[in-house]
Amino acid sequence: SAVASINARSDCQKFALCYSSDPGLAGIELPPCCDGFECQQLEGSEDRFCVKSGPVPLGGECGKYVGKCDSSTAKCSDGVCVAKLNNGNAKAGSRSWFGF
């Protein structure tokens, strides 16, 4: 007899709920996060969502349910990772993004 299986690649999710703290949803298995995404708890919530794994690069989409920018070099502004200004505190040997 044939064994039915779920193709995880087509049954995965991005930017979606992957764990709920709601007792009414206890025992309900949610689809796993897709490759490149991980199930993370968000600040101020018991729930977890599939967000991009690792830091989002400059120019990438960012936000609470999407992913976080590399906090050492970028910040999220209007849903996009943009370079932080160093406010004159450049470290010796550091390079600017534009090579000037």
Side-chain angles (χ1 to χ4, degrees), residues 27-51:
I28 295 175
E29 190 172 334
L30 297 169
C33 299
C34 295
D35 287 344
F37 290 78
E38 58 189 44
C39 193
Q40 290 186 355
Q41 185 171 351
L42 302 179
E43 273 185 50
S45 174
E46 296 290 320
D47 296 334
R48 296 178 184 201
F49 294 82
C50 293
V51 297

Side-chain angles (χ1 to χ4, degrees), residues 91 93-100:
K91 295 178 184 171
S94 68
R95 294 182 180 174
S96 75
W97 285 102
F98 304 105
F100 297 130

Side-chain angles (χ1 to χ4, degrees), residues 2-23:
V3 175
S5 65
I6 296 173
N7 181 343
R9 291 194 186 276
S10 64
D11 194 36
C12 65
Q13 54 184 358
K14 302 174 182 178
F15 314 119
L17 186 70
C18 53
Y19 169 81
S20 176
S21 61
D22 184 341

